[in-house]
Amino acid sequence: MEKMKAVGLYKHLPIDQKESLVGLEIEKPRPSNRDLLVRVEAIGVNPVDYKIRMSNGEEHDEPKILGWDVSGVVEATGPDCTIFKPGDEVYYAGDITRQGGNSEFHLIDERIVGKKPKSLSFAQSAALPLTTITAYEALFDRLNIHPEPGQNEGKSILIIGAAGGVGSIATQLAKRAGLTVIGTASRPETVKWAKEFGADHTINHYHEFAPQLKDLGIPSVDYIFCLNATGKHWAGMAEVISPQGKICSIVETNEPVNITLLQSKSATFVWELMFTRPMFQTEDMIKQHQLLNEVADLIDDNVIQTTLNKQLSPINAENMKEAHRMLESGSSIGKIVLEKFE
């Protein structure tokens, strides 16, 4: 039985606990059906990692592996694979119903895998998949924005949390589609980051939206993409969304919101969760393969850039804990990536 290294957990614990994340040696898997076996070169870290790690105090008999941002090389393919072959360089986010990618080798359905951008390193590529899929699906599937330039003249979008991983990609995609992009950011370094990635304007999410937008000469926005505190921002979003406008959020809320605030404007509210397609094996799950390939081409054509901002090496429990701490602080900008098992 061949073994591999991994970082995982048996107990869901705060990050300062010794056993919150541990180094492991587990069995190396074998691909079947449409699975690829990928040799993991780099992994990105996302809020979903620490949310699942904290969880509810549950304990596992078998280790749980986190990690839903991977770049690597196809080692082997299942018998039903038709898209990739051994040696192909790939990047992907994965399936939350399966083990994550924080391991030397990882099984993943080829229909949610994209070709790695040729112009990027493995670390730069690992910063992208989860945030790219989330931003792309939110803008073009949920909000139904036309993805091509020239089709959205005069339209505007407010991106709440523009300097984070998803916001950095959403800003670039929205700008390419021809929208006026207003990003929220509250610190000089996050304002600078948001503008470098294409935001036309920035406003502060700790202050009311309407007066700040009015000062910009923008009384309302056609679209809102909420990446932070849905409940907290609900009334503000309802106030500034245009009649018949659309709001999308990726952030769960435990507090009730008054959806009637949208009624007079006939405004739409929709959720985005990038795990929906693989989780439910939807008929169109191959769209994640297609959109990752499309964005890889945009990157290689210098239209979109990676959002990597912090790199740690090697991939081990201590570095993974440090990445979780940085994310949990709420002050990280862009993406954090770990590279290379030792």
Side-chain angles (χ1 to χ4, degrees):
M1 184 189 302
E2 196 172 351
K3 296 283 190 178
M4 67 176 182
K5 293 178 181 177
V7 177
L9 58 87
Y10 288 94
K11 301 176 183 179
H12 294 267
L13 297 167
I15 198 60
D16 59 357
Q17 298 293 306
K18 183 179 179 181
E19 295 181 13
S20 59
L21 291 168
V22 295
L24 302 164
E25 276 209 353
I26 59 176
E27 184 177 354
K28 179 181 175 182
R30 295 179 180 178
S32 59
N33 303 319
R34 295 197 71 172
D35 276 349
L36 308 174
L37 179 67
V38 174
R39 185 178 77 245
V40 176
E41 297 290 341
I43 49 182
V45 187
N46 297 282
V48 65
D49 293 81
Y50 72 73
K51 289 176 183 179
I52 291 177
R53 192 209 74 241
M54 291 188 295
S55 196
N56 56 7
E58 181 184 1
E59 296 188 16
H60 305 276
D61 294 328
E62 298 294 326
K64 182 171 185 60
I65 312 299
L66 307 176
W68 291 279
D69 256 337
V70 173
S71 66
V73 180
V74 176
E75 179 92 352
T77 62
D80 300 327
C81 288
T82 59
I83 303 172
F84 294 100
K85 64 185 185 304
D88 287 344
E89 295 183 350
V90 295
Y91 76 143
Y92 59 88
D95 180 348
I96 204 168
T97 66
R98 305 179 67 176
Q99 291 283 42
N102 295 350
S103 54
E104 285 187 280
F105 296 90
H106 184 230
L107 290 179
I108 185 71
D109 189 304
E110 67 171 355
R111 289 171 291 179
I112 55 174
V113 173
K115 61 179 184 181
K116 183 183 83 65
K118 295 185 180 72
S119 57
L120 297 186
S121 67
F122 285 108
Q124 291 170 322
S125 299
L128 291 166
L130 184 144
T131 54
T132 294
I133 295 169
T134 300
Y136 192 105
E137 289 184 346
L139 296 180
F140 307 131
D141 293 342
R142 314 302 176 218
L143 293 173
N144 296 123
I145 297 168
H146 198 290
E148 293 302 318
Q151 302 295 316
N152 300 289
E153 188 175 348
K155 300 285 188 179
S156 58
I157 185 169
L158 174 63
I159 299 176
I160 302 172
V166 177
S168 303
I169 291 292
T171 298
Q172 295 180 79
L173 291 173
K175 190 64 186 170
R176 177 181 181 268
L179 293 162
T180 296
V181 179
I182 306 101
T184 78
S186 62
R187 293 174 284 143
E189 58 267 36
T190 54
V191 169
K192 181 174 182 285
W193 181 274
K195 288 187 173 179
E196 285 177 350
F197 279 84
D200 296 288
H201 310 282
T202 60
I203 62 175
N204 192 321
H205 42 248
Y206 291 112
H207 300 233
E208 290 186 22
F209 297 149
Q212 297 181 84
L213 289 173
K214 186 178 179 183
D215 288 345
L216 295 172
I218 304 172
S220 66
V221 291
D222 301 285
Y223 307 101
I224 298 175
F225 188 20
C226 181
L227 308 173
N228 176 269
T230 303
K232 174 184 173 184
H233 296 303
W234 184 259
M237 292 192 291
E239 184 179 10
V240 301
I241 192 68
S242 297
Q244 302 183 94
K246 296 180 180 180
I247 302 169
C248 178
S249 179
I250 67 168
V251 185
E252 65 278 6
T253 180
N254 294 320
E255 53 192 287
V257 296
N258 181 9
I259 199 166
T260 305
L261 292 177
L262 304 180
Q263 184 180 19
S264 66
K265 294 181 177 178
S266 297
T268 298
F269 175 75
V270 64
W271 290 110
E272 158 59 17
L273 180 67
M274 62 128 296
F275 292 118
T276 297
R277 282 175 163 135
M279 183 187 299
F280 294 99
Q281 296 281 296
T282 62
E283 290 182 4
D284 66 348
M285 66 184 282
I286 199 164
K287 284 192 73 173
Q288 294 196 345
H289 161 72
Q290 294 164 348
L291 75 85
L292 285 171
N293 280 356
E294 181 180 334
V295 171
D297 289 338
L298 291 175
I299 289 166
D300 290 337
D301 290 339
N302 294 315
V303 177
I304 302 292
Q305 60 179 308
T306 182
T307 56
L308 172 62
N309 192 39
K310 182 73 174 179
Q311 196 168 329
L312 302 172
S313 185
I315 302 169
N316 59 28
E318 286 310 308
N319 280 335
M320 190 64 69
K321 286 180 182 179
E322 178 61 20
H324 278 230
R325 287 188 196 99
M326 287 189 284
L327 271 186
E328 288 183 56
S329 74
S331 60
S332 62
I333 303 172
K335 287 296 296 290
I336 305 166
V337 168
L338 282 73
E339 189 176 23
K340 297 190 182 302
F341 281 92
E342 287 187 350

